[in-house]
């Protein structure tokens, strides 16, 4: 694996590939071994005594080693320097790519901060190795889609020229942006309190370690992914007590149900899979997600009574005119309207009754004018309020307060809305990227600087479930978190911080100050790296679950073309220690002609979440068009895809 970049994301991807996937990695940097890190908290005068103290703690943390082995800092650790081959080059030119052994590499990640640099390097790499799997970081999403098609077409041409060699590797091109990759993890923190959640086909799944005999907080386990190694202090002769699994056997990957039940009953800790869903209070759709104001709200109650009174007066004048002058009712009503709008001739030569009725009609017309003006003003005000940002409704609770509607915040807002989670946004810039989305989705939004007094209170932070501080300024996110914790000590908080070491310092300090509250402080590179590393492993792989010193891969594969899947039941696909079906996306129609139809995500239609295995049953027969979500070891996935693990970029343990 080769990673080329000029910031902390390149280091993080290299660490992910080395520590999780056990791959050999070459890291190409412009100069030096330390990534470029942005300045964090340049000044602290306005943050108060608590923030200044946290800044001193951060400075102390920065002087310590990055390779801490305990606590949350371990999530951000990088592998030892000797584990990754590092090359120094100002740019990824042909000479540098050849020195990085691109012609023999399995995958290349280009994560330079400049789109043009990544595009030029991708074109060079595809020319040097048409079978190379490319992962490119681009901020321009439309350009990224076109580049994917171009490079995939180049790989397809090479496959036709050399079908045997090119067919052995998934020579795909994947274009990712930081916002798209970070948004699922940040959304997961609001739902499940952790960023280690795998999202696939509308499902949120997480793997958790459970002590024996204790149920999980999120509900029953869907399946057992692994059995952890017995504790080292157990007697060596008790291996039979664990379902025939010895102490030195290590973790057991993907056991069958009988083996898992026997091992758990004997006291062995399992790693189980749980489905995650939002567990907050229900909020009426009309309160937060109404599409528009009803017609009855165009006019106030007082105005409606005024209009009804004028209509009644016109009818009374028409009846009086019919009784006094003998005119037909329709003609009498017509004359009353002419008098009302002052367009009738004066009744000089008419009887006294006709003159009196004309004067009364004119007076009613004078009363009608202000009512019409009020009606127009109220209608305009209603339309303006319908197009304006909504305010948080009264009684709102259990919601997510989202700070910042920039590139990342906008994507997180869209995902939270899709999941039906109530959100209140806070944004200082009325022209921010996500303001238009918040207005269109009718999401309550507070305009104002989050550091100003009263802004978080307006967002109902006292009754909120989670705070997502996603602005682009570390000091703003930190100050908002500290102030929110002073109002609600047990509030779940997630901060977006750019510096890894500073994020670790913030986490440890807030955890020490509020041990019972859930705090997550993560840099963008920490959250984005797993998606880039997974894409380098193959387009099918969407996540990984580390189990001690081994790893389970979570992959999404279409049953068509795989005899081990198509036409077989879910129970028949299970291969203990190798492969297990987690969920099945059955949204594809049965009509074979529909295979050429655009996918739901391309046509703009909403996809239904995939069905979990326990919903379908082990007897469900997989159709060729079904998309299957699998948990597999490296060897099991390599055998399923019909290629050698090493050639596919998946090396065995």
């Amino acid at each position: 694996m080769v990673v080329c970049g000029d910031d902390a994301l390149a280091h993080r991807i290299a660490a992910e590939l080395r520590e999780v996937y056990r791959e050999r990695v070459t890291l190409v940097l412009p100069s030096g071994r330390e990534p470029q890190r942005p300045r964090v908290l340049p000044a602290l005068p306005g943050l108060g005594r608590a923030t200044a103290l946290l800044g001193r703690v951060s400075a102390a943390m920065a002087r310590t080693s990055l390779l801490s082995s305990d606590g949350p800092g371990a999530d951000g650790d990088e592998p030892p320097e000797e584990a990754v081959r590092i090359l120094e080059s100002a740019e990824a030119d042909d000479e540098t790519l050849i020195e990085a052994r691109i012609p023999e590499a399995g995958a290349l990640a280009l994560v330079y901060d400049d789109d043009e640099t990544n595009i030029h390097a991708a074109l060079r790499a595809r020319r040097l190795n048409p079978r190379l799997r490319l992962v490119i970081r681009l901020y321009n999403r439309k350009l990224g889609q076109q580049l994917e098609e171009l490079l995939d077409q180049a790989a397809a041409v090479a496959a036709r020229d050399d079908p045997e060699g090119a067919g052995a590797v998934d020579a795909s091109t994947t274009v990712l942006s930081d916002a798209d990759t970070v948004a699922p993890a940040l959304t997961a923190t609001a739902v499940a309190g952790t960023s280690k959640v795998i999202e696939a086909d509308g499902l949120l799944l997480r793997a958790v370690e459970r002590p024996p005999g204790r149920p999980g907080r999120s509900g029953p386990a869907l399946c057992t992914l692994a059995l952890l190694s017995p504790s080292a202090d157990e007697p060596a002769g008790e291996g039979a007590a664990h379902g025939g699994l010895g102490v030195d056997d290590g973790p057991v990957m993907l056991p069958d149900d009988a083996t898992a039940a026997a091992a758990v009953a004997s006291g062995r800790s399992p790693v189980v899979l749980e489905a995650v869903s939002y567990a907050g209070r229900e909020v009426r759709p009309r309160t937060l997600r109404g599409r528009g104001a009803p017609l009855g709200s165009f006019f106030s109650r007082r105005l409606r009574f005024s209009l009804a009174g004028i209509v009644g007066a016109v009818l009374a004048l028409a009846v009086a005119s019919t009784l006094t002058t003998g005119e037909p009712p329709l003609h009498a009503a017509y004359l009353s309207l002419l008098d009302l709008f002052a367009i009738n001739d004066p009744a000089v030569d008419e009887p006294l009754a006709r003159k009196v009725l004309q004067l009364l009609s004119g007076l009613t017309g004078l009363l009608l004018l202000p009512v019409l003006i009020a009606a127009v003003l109220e209608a305009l005000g209603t339309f303006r309020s319908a197009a304006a940002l909504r305010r948080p409704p009264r009684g709102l609770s259990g919601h997510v307060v989202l700070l910042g509607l920039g590139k990342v915040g906008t994507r997180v807002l869209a995902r939270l809305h899709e999941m039906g989670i109530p959100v209140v946004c806070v944004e200082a810039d009325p022209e921010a990227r996500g303001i238009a989305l918040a207005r269109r989705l009718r999401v309550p939004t507070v305009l104002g600087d989050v550091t100003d007094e009263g802004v978080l209170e307006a967002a109902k932070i006292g009754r909120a479930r989670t705070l997502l501080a996603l602005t682009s300024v570390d000091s703003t996110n930190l100050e908002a978190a500290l102030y929110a914790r002073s109002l609600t000590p047990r509030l779940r908080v997630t901060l977006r911080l750019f510096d890894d070491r500073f994020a670790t310092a913030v986490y440890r300090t807030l955890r020490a100050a509020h041990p019972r509250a859930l705090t997550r402080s993560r840099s963008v590179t920490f959250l984005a790296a797993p998606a880039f590393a997974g894409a380098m492993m193959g387009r099918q792989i969407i996540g990984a679950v580390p189990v001690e010193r081994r790893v389970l891969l979570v992959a999404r594969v279409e049953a068509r073309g795989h005899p081990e899947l198509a036409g077989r039941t879910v129970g028949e696909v299970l291969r203990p220690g190798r492969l297990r079906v987690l969920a099945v996306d059955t949204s594809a129609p049965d009509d074979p002609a529909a295979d050429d139809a655009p996918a739901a995500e391309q046509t703009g239609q909403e996809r239904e979440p995939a069905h979990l295995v326990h919903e379908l049953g082990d007897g469900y027969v997989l159709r060729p068009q079904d998309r299957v979500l699998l948990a597999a070891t490296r060897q099991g996935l390599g055998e399923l895809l019909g290629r050698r693990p090493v050639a596919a970029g998946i090396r065995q343990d």
Side-chain angles (χ1 to χ4, degrees):
M1 301 292 173
V2 181
V3 181
C4 301
D6 55 2
D7 58 10
L9 180 59
H11 279 247
R12 182 68 66 189
I13 295 174
E16 186 82 9
L17 291 171
R18 179 63 184 175
E19 293 300 309
V20 176
Y21 295 99
R22 308 290 192 269
E23 291 294 329
R24 294 173 295 175
V25 183
T26 297
L27 181 60
V28 180
L29 301 174
S31 62
R33 291 175 176 261
E34 284 295 325
Q36 301 294 325
R37 298 182 184 271
R39 292 174 58 192
V40 181
L41 292 179
L44 299 172
L47 297 184
R49 184 177 304 173
T51 311
L53 174 61
L54 187 57
R56 292 195 293 270
V57 174
S58 172
M61 286 291 302
R63 292 192 294 269
T64 61
S65 174
L66 282 175
L67 301 179
S68 174
S69 60
D70 58 340
D75 293 338
D77 295 344
E78 297 178 17
E81 293 288 346
E82 63 272 14
V84 177
R85 178 184 176 220
I86 297 180
L87 298 179
E88 296 184 8
S89 177
E91 60 177 339
D93 51 13
D94 289 349
E95 182 179 354
T96 302
L97 294 178
I98 292 176
E99 185 179 359
R101 302 175 184 174
I102 285 297
E104 298 85 22
L108 167 65
L110 298 167
V111 292
Y112 291 102
D113 194 52
D114 180 57
D115 285 0
E116 185 176 355
T117 302
N118 291 328
I119 294 174
H120 288 173
L123 295 175
R124 295 190 186 102
R126 180 61 81 202
R127 176 172 49 83
L128 292 174
N129 186 354
R131 299 175 296 172
L132 183 68
R133 188 182 303 117
L134 289 173
V135 180
I136 309 171
R137 173 191 190 182
L138 287 185
Y139 293 97
N140 190 329
R141 299 177 64 182
K142 183 178 296 185
L143 177 61
Q145 295 176 357
Q146 298 173 351
L147 184 64
E148 277 189 0
E149 296 177 359
L150 175 64
L151 295 177
D152 283 345
Q153 184 177 3
V157 172
R160 288 196 297 267
D161 296 339
D162 186 14
E164 295 183 0
V169 178
D170 174 21
S172 61
T173 304
T174 305
V175 175
L176 300 174
S177 70
D178 291 354
D180 291 333
T181 55
V182 168
L186 292 174
T187 304
T189 61
V191 177
T194 176
S195 59
K196 296 180 180 180
V197 175
I198 297 173
E199 183 179 18
D201 297 328
L203 295 174
L204 283 179
L205 305 173
R206 67 174 175 181
V208 296
E209 178 183 344
R210 286 186 179 178
R214 295 186 183 179
R217 294 183 178 180
S218 299
L222 302 177
C223 65
T224 301
L225 296 177
L227 297 171
L228 299 180
S229 301
S231 58
D233 56 355
E234 290 183 353
E238 293 188 1
H242 299 281
L245 304 173
V247 174
D248 298 330
D249 290 340
V252 178
M253 314 297 280
L254 300 175
D256 56 37
D257 295 339
T259 302
V264 172
S266 62
R268 195 158 181 176
S269 298
V271 177
V272 299
L273 187 69
E274 293 180 350
V276 178
S277 60
Y278 178 67
R281 297 183 180 180
E282 294 290 337
V283 180
R284 295 180 180 179
R286 187 176 181 180
T287 302
L288 288 179
R289 300 167 62 186
R291 296 296 180 182
L295 294 177
S297 65
F298 279 1
F299 308 120
S300 65
R301 184 176 181 182
R302 182 177 302 177
L303 182 59
R304 292 198 298 269
F305 283 145
S306 300
L307 291 174
I310 291 178
V311 171
V314 172
L315 293 177
L317 291 173
V319 172
S321 178
T322 301
L323 297 177
T324 57
T325 62
E327 297 287 347
L330 291 179
H331 186 66
Y334 174 69
L335 292 178
S336 298
L337 290 176
L338 293 179
D339 294 335
L340 182 71
F341 295 110
I343 57 178
N344 198 7
D345 294 332
V348 177
D349 299 330
E350 298 292 335
L352 179 60
R354 179 72 182 89
K355 294 178 180 180
V356 173
L357 290 174
Q358 190 176 51
L359 292 175
L360 292 176
S361 298
L363 179 61
T364 305
L366 293 177
L367 298 176
L368 177 63
L369 182 60
V371 174
L372 293 177
I373 295 176
V376 172
L377 294 178
E378 284 198 8
L380 291 176
T382 300
F383 280 114
R384 289 185 61 186
S385 63
L389 294 170
R390 301 192 63 187
R391 302 290 296 178
R394 295 181 180 180
L396 177 64
S397 62
H399 58 287
V400 175
V401 176
L402 175 61
L403 309 184
L405 289 177
K407 183 171 58 176
V408 175
T410 301
R411 294 297 301 156
V412 173
L413 172 61
R415 288 182 175 270
L416 291 173
H417 185 268
E418 291 173 358
M419 297 176 65
I421 300 175
V423 187
V424 174
C425 302
V426 179
E427 175 57 52
D429 183 10
E431 303 297 329
R433 180 192 301 262
I435 290 294
L437 177 63
R439 181 181 292 110
R440 179 170 58 85
L441 298 179
R442 306 289 295 152
V443 174
T445 304
V446 178
L447 289 178
D449 189 350
V450 70
T451 60
D452 294 340
E453 185 177 358
V455 174
L456 283 178
E457 287 85 348
K460 313 292 185 184
I461 192 65
R463 296 196 296 268
R465 173 191 175 102
T466 305
L467 172 66
L468 294 179
L470 306 182
T471 70
S472 58
V473 182
D474 285 1
S475 60
T476 300
N477 295 334
L478 178 56
E479 183 175 3
L482 293 175
Y483 183 67
R485 275 286 167 80
S486 66
L487 298 177
T488 310
R490 302 196 66 175
L491 178 69
R492 178 184 295 171
V493 173
T494 299
L495 296 87
R496 172 194 178 189
L497 300 176
F498 284 85
D499 188 86
D500 292 344
R501 290 175 290 189
F502 181 69
T504 302
V506 169
Y507 174 86
R508 293 182 175 179
T509 305
L510 292 180
R511 183 182 61 178
H514 303 278
R516 295 186 178 181
L518 185 61
T519 303
R520 291 290 181 268
S521 58
R522 290 290 183 257
S523 66
V524 173
T525 59
F526 177 88
L527 297 176
F532 282 84
M536 293 182 70
M537 298 300 298
R539 180 170 287 179
Q540 299 95 341
I541 299 176
I542 60 176
V545 179
V547 180
E548 297 182 3
R549 299 300 297 173
R550 303 183 64 183
V551 64
L552 281 175
L553 302 178
V554 180
R556 180 171 49 206
V557 180
E558 187 175 0
R560 179 180 286 104
H562 300 289
E564 299 87 351
L565 298 178
R568 294 180 177 268
T569 64
V570 172
E572 293 174 345
V573 175
L574 173 63
R575 288 189 292 171
R578 300 291 182 88
L579 195 69
R580 184 171 195 139
V581 178
L582 303 179
V584 181
D585 182 1
T586 61
S587 59
D590 293 326
D591 185 8
D595 294 341
D596 298 331
E601 57 266 21
Q602 297 176 351
T603 59
Q605 300 177 0
E606 296 184 359
R607 293 183 59 93
E608 292 293 332
H611 297 283
L612 296 169
V613 168
H614 74 87
E615 298 174 343
L616 295 174
D618 291 340
Y620 176 79
V621 179
L622 297 175
R623 304 175 301 167
Q625 62 269 28
D626 287 342
R627 293 200 306 175
V628 185
L629 190 67
L630 301 167
T633 61
R634 292 185 176 92
Q635 183 177 2
L637 186 61
E639 294 174 354
L640 173 67
L641 299 180
R643 59 194 185 196
R644 294 175 301 169
V646 174
I650 303 175
R651 301 193 302 112
Q652 298 183 19
D653 293 324

